[in-house]
Each structure stands twice: as C-alpha cells, then as structure tokens.
C-alpha cells in the first residue's frame, strides 16, 4: 500500500552504498597512483580529490550503519505507519 510519505520515510540500501564506495575507492587510489606515475599531475589531482570525496562519503555511510535501527531500520523493523488521515 502506498501512503504518499515514501520520500520522507524511504530506507537507503546502506550496505550496497558501502560496497559501491569501496569499489570507487579502489579505482580512485589506482587512478591517482597511475596518473602520478605517468606524469599527469592534473589527472592525479582530480583522482585524489575524488578519493577524498569517496572517503568522506564512506565515513558517513559507516556512521549510519553503526547507528543501527535508530537511523536505518533493518528487515526486522516494520515500515513506518501510514498517516491516519489522507489528504483530499
């Protein structure tokens, strides 16, 4: 049943986001090293900046995972209750 409150009560796939961040982290580390060794400092700096962004994103994702159901309800927590009155 759709309640119309899905945008405010949506759950994020934090574990999927974490593993995608790991994948991105591996590629940015590789890209930074490869471009630095190839003598392309501009591209190495771009990969390094992206590396920083991914690291911050991963830290936020890990923080949300460690907060547990308080932030991110699991499968054993039922969805939020729908609003009692529906807008007309």
């Amino acid at each position: 049943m759709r309640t119309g409150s899905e945008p405010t009560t949506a759950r994020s796939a934090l574990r999927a986001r974490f593993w995608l961040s790991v994948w991105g982290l591996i590629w940015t580390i590789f890209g930074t090293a490869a471009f630095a060794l190839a003598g392309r400092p501009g591209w190495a700096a771009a990969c390094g900046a992206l590396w920083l962004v991914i690291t911050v994103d991963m830290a936020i994702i890990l923080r949300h995972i460690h907060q547990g159901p308080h932030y991110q309800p699991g499968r054993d927590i039922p969805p939020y209750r729908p609003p009692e009155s529906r807008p007309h």
Side-chain angles (χ1 to χ4, degrees):
M1 177 176 89
R2 297 190 66 99
T3 63
S5 66
E6 285 82 6
T8 59
T9 60
R11 298 178 183 185
S12 175
L14 288 176
R15 286 179 185 80
R17 284 180 56 198
F18 171 75
W19 288 111
L20 286 171
S21 291
V22 169
W23 181 251
L25 193 67
I26 291 168
W27 276 104
T28 55
I29 291 170
F30 173 75
T32 303
F35 284 124
L37 291 173
R40 301 280 188 159
W43 284 104
C47 284
L50 191 56
W51 182 0
L52 178 65
V53 169
I54 291 172
T55 302
V56 169
D57 184 47
M58 187 179 291
I60 293 170
I61 292 168
L62 286 173
R63 180 175 179 264
H64 288 173
I65 287 173
H66 286 283
Q67 284 178 332
H70 174 71
Y71 177 78
Q72 182 70 27
R75 292 185 182 124
D76 55 337
I77 308 281
Y80 297 99
R81 295 190 61 162
E84 297 299 324
S85 63
R86 297 185 60 96
H88 298 291

